[in-house]
Amino acid sequence: MGKKSRRAHRSFTSELKAEIVELSRRGDRSIGQVAKDFDLTETAVRDWVKQAEVDAGERDGLTSDEREELARLRRENRRLREDVDILKRATASFAKETR
């Protein structure tokens, strides 16, 4: 039995995700069947359904908006730390030159 190759990373529009979540929540097909019909992993569809439940207030967790804000703040924080590090090195370099 051979090892499965990894599937290439794909991105999906929020409209498609919403449609798949709606199909999954209707109950006439299982999440596994919906995933198979759209050539998706069952895990991805389950994650989308869980996130939709969080966004609708039916489940605890970070909403999609909160996740986006957190990611944005982390990127900004990383950039600011890099800026501070550059300024520290520049200050040390200027201090050596003035001695």
Side-chain angles (χ1 to χ4, degrees):
M1 196 174 226
K3 193 175 186 182
K4 282 189 174 182
S5 62
R6 288 188 63 127
R7 182 188 299 229
H9 179 76
R10 301 181 294 172
S11 60
F12 303 94
T13 63
S14 55
E15 292 82 14
L16 178 64
K17 287 180 183 181
E19 179 183 340
I20 291 171
V21 166
E22 180 59 33
L23 288 171
S24 300
R25 294 176 92 186
R26 275 190 204 155
D28 44 326
R29 289 190 283 179
S30 69
I31 288 177
Q33 187 59 49
V34 172
K36 188 175 182 181
D37 291 348
F38 285 89
D39 189 31
L40 300 166
T41 64
E42 191 171 335
T43 303
V45 176
R46 285 189 192 285
D47 288 346
W48 295 348
V49 169
K50 286 178 186 175
Q51 188 61 52
E53 290 171 352
V54 169
D55 291 346
E58 301 167 4
R59 177 186 282 250
D60 288 338
L62 293 176
T63 65
S64 295
D65 290 340
E66 291 169 333
R67 285 184 184 279
E68 288 176 23
E69 181 181 16
L70 182 59
R72 182 186 58 78
L73 290 171
R74 284 180 173 163
R75 281 191 305 273
E76 182 179 350
N77 193 354
R78 184 173 45 250
R79 186 185 56 77
L80 291 171
R81 286 179 189 270
E82 290 169 358
D83 290 351
V84 167
D85 189 46
I86 290 169
L87 290 172
K88 282 181 182 178
R89 283 188 265 141
T91 301
S93 177
F94 289 138
K96 285 181 182 177
E97 289 178 12
T98 58
R99 288 184 188 174

